[in-house]
Every structure is written in C-alpha cells, then in structure tokens.
Amino acid sequence: MEKIEKAIGVFDSGLGGISVLKELRKHMPNEKYLYFGDSAFAPYGEKDKEVITKRCIYICDELVKKGVKAIVIACNTATSACVQVIRERYKDIPIIGMEPALKPAVDGKKNQHVIVMATKFTLKEKKFEDLMLKYNADHIIYKLPCPKLVEIIEQDNLLNEQLVETTLKDYLHTYDLATIDSIVLGCTHFVFFKEKLQKIVGNHIRLIDGNEGTTRHVVELLEEKKQLQLEKGYGEVTILNSSKDEKYLKLSKELLEY
Ligand code: DGL
C-alpha cells in the first residue's frame, strides 16, 4: 500500500480522543483513521509515568503493526508522560502530541486570569510546569484537576444532565467567575462538556481546547510530506478498544456523532 493511503493512527487513554478524531475528520475528510481507546486502563491521569508509558508503547506498536502514516497522541496526559520515548521509538513516523492550550489563552493579551482544567498527572508534570513558567509572571493561572469528568465520559454518563451540571459546578464553585477570562480544556475528554460548561460559566469566559490547533498541525505535517489524502472515497474510521466490553465501541461511535 502506498504510504499516502495508510490510515492516521489516533489514540487516547479511552474515549476522550474521539473529540480530536472528530476535528481531524472535519478537516481531513478523505483520510482513513485507526483509533485506539485504552478504556481498560483509563484513567491515565491517576496513574504513574511508567504505567502510562508502557501502555502507550503497546498501543503505538499495535498501530504501527497495522500500518499507519502518522500517530496523533490525542491525550494530554500520555503526551506529557512519554512523547519523547514514542518519538525515539518510531523515528520514521510523525508523532503529534497535545498539551493544554495555555498559549492561545494568553497570547497577545495582558494580565489574563486562566483556569486550566486537566488531569492530575498533566498538571504535576514538568512539561506543564515549564509551560506555566513562560506565562505566570504576566498572568494568573489556576490549575484544576478534574478526574470526575473523565469518569463521566468513560461511564457513558455524558447525557446525565444533572450529574454533569453538579460536577462542573462543584469544580468551579471556589472561583469568582467574574474575574476569569478563559478556561483551558487541557484534557481531550473535557471537550465533550464544552457547550454545557459555556452555559454554566457565561459567555464572558472563553473556552479553549487544543483540538483545532492539533488538527492544523497534522494537516501541515502531512502536506509537507506530500501525504495528505486529497482524493475522495476514504474517510473511514476503524475503532479499537482495549476493553473486552463491547459497550466501549458502541459509545465511541456515539461520541463520534455527538
Ligand atoms: N484524555 C486524557 C487527556 O487528554 C486523559 C484522561 C485520563 O485518562 O485521565 O489528558
């Protein structure tokens, strides 16, 4: 098979990366996608680096065996745990990682008050510390770990309005929202809550996620390598999940249409 015809591999600790896959498909409708959700091992945000790295190596080996032309780590947590290890292991395959979109939240602005919602792991890692160091002299940045939001997605509770609303309000109740300029959704699971969250916090707060920026990056990379599929007739998605429970495949497909 010609390289250009190969699928783009996308993976996450579970179903959060489906929010990235949606964006990728929107901008590259002719590509084939191979998505791997690691729901049997989610959440990554509560695990340690060694465990996460081992899982990511296993998943990437699987994707590479099946033949992919690029790998998108659709998970901020996995990226901060081991993007370097993954890049060194697969030198011939472009690896695209994600990080909380703090830069677009503050770029070109003064004295911003920003809440970064992410996993406990992402927020305590050096990668995020370094990112914060670039901006926290000029802006106020609050770190907010939200493990329950990952759980809600993995347990198929996104449509449980009451639970979603109480959980979001609970996480945000200590902040004076009138003073907040933006909230960064630094975990791909959280993007599914965007609409609901916007209603709760009000329109004066910008909600920012990294899905569009990541997609742009993938498009540019494939264009540069002349591997962007422009012909019609592709666009198919294959979904794999580490859990034997069939419900995750069903839920993945539902989230892709959400
Ligand atoms: N979706 C993942 C992220 O973007 C992490 C969720 C988890 O497994 O804790 O960070």
Side-chain angles (χ1 to χ4, degrees):
M1 192 196 286
E2 293 252 2
K3 202 158 192 182
I4 192 167
E5 291 171 2
K6 289 185 175 178
I8 298 174
V10 182
F11 78 93
D12 177 43
S13 64
L15 309 174
I18 298 276
S19 70
V20 183
L21 177 59
K22 278 176 77 158
E23 195 69 23
L24 291 166
R25 262 181 112 200
K26 200 161 97 193
H27 295 270
M28 292 176 285
N30 300 319
E31 297 291 344
K32 281 189 281 193
Y33 297 92
L34 179 58
Y35 182 87
F36 191 106
D38 201 13
S39 295
F41 289 84
Y44 283 1
E46 308 292 302
K47 297 198 166 52
D48 60 39
K49 193 182 255 183
E50 287 66 35
V51 176
I52 303 170
T53 306
K54 238 188 183 158
R55 287 307 300 164
C56 293
I57 288 176
Y58 167 78
I59 294 165
C60 291
D61 281 355
E62 288 299 300
L63 294 174
V64 170
K65 255 190 259 165
K66 291 190 188 319
V68 291
K69 62 180 172 186
I71 294 178
V72 179
I73 308 179
C75 179
N76 297 264
T77 309
T79 304
S80 55
C82 58
V83 66
Q84 277 319 105
V85 176
I86 301 287
R87 286 204 173 114
E88 269 155 40
R89 191 173 172 92
Y90 315 97
K91 290 208 171 72
D92 300 335
I93 299 179
I95 309 289
I96 300 95
M98 295 188 75
E99 67 178 11
L102 188 54
K103 185 168 185 274
V106 297
D107 247 7
K109 302 186 182 66
K110 284 199 178 115
N111 189 29
Q112 294 289 290
H113 290 220
V114 184
I115 299 174
V116 181
M117 296 168 86
T119 66
K120 200 164 88 188
F121 186 92
T122 300
L123 295 173
K124 75 169 170 54
E125 275 301 292
K126 175 152 187 335
K127 193 167 188 300
F128 187 72
E129 280 291 302
D130 291 346
L131 186 67
M132 256 186 86
L133 271 180
K134 287 193 199 161
Y135 303 112
N136 67 359
D138 300 320
H139 308 279
I140 310 274
I141 301 161
Y142 304 99
K143 300 198 262 185
L144 177 58
C146 308
K148 286 185 190 149
L149 297 181
V150 178
E151 228 175 86
I152 288 179
I153 298 294
E154 293 295 318
Q155 294 175 358
D156 194 9
N157 274 324
L158 180 61
L159 299 180
N160 182 339
E161 300 225 353
Q162 181 88 54
L163 175 70
V164 169
E165 190 171 329
T166 327
T167 310
L168 290 172
K169 282 186 174 162
D170 232 40
Y171 277 130
L172 291 163
H173 82 277
T174 52
Y175 300 93
D176 177 2
L177 293 178
T179 66
I180 301 295
D181 299 292
S182 53
I183 297 178
V184 174
L185 303 174
C187 166
T188 53
H189 282 74
F190 302 172
V191 179
F192 290 111
F193 299 97
K194 212 167 177 178
E195 243 172 69
K196 191 87 188 164
L197 185 59
Q198 191 78 68
K199 276 194 193 131
I200 290 172
V201 300
N203 286 333
H204 72 284
I205 296 184
R206 285 197 307 149
L207 299 184
I208 302 166
D209 66 74
N211 289 3
E212 214 187 306
T214 301
T215 299
R216 221 179 305 124
H217 188 185
V218 179
V219 172
E220 282 164 12
L221 247 161
L222 291 179
E223 257 171 359
E224 197 184 293
K225 293 184 173 299
K226 307 223 178 323
Q227 282 172 24
L228 192 63
Q229 184 60 262
L230 299 169
E231 278 172 41
K232 291 237 182 299
Y234 290 90
E236 73 204 46
V237 174
T238 305
I239 297 178
L240 307 171
N241 197 289
S242 56
S243 169
K244 289 198 169 48
D245 194 333
E246 290 283 311
K247 78 171 186 209
Y248 287 104
L249 293 180
K250 184 172 169 279
L251 186 52
S252 301
K253 286 176 193 150
E254 284 165 12
L255 287 169
L256 196 56
E257 302 307 322
Y258 178 72

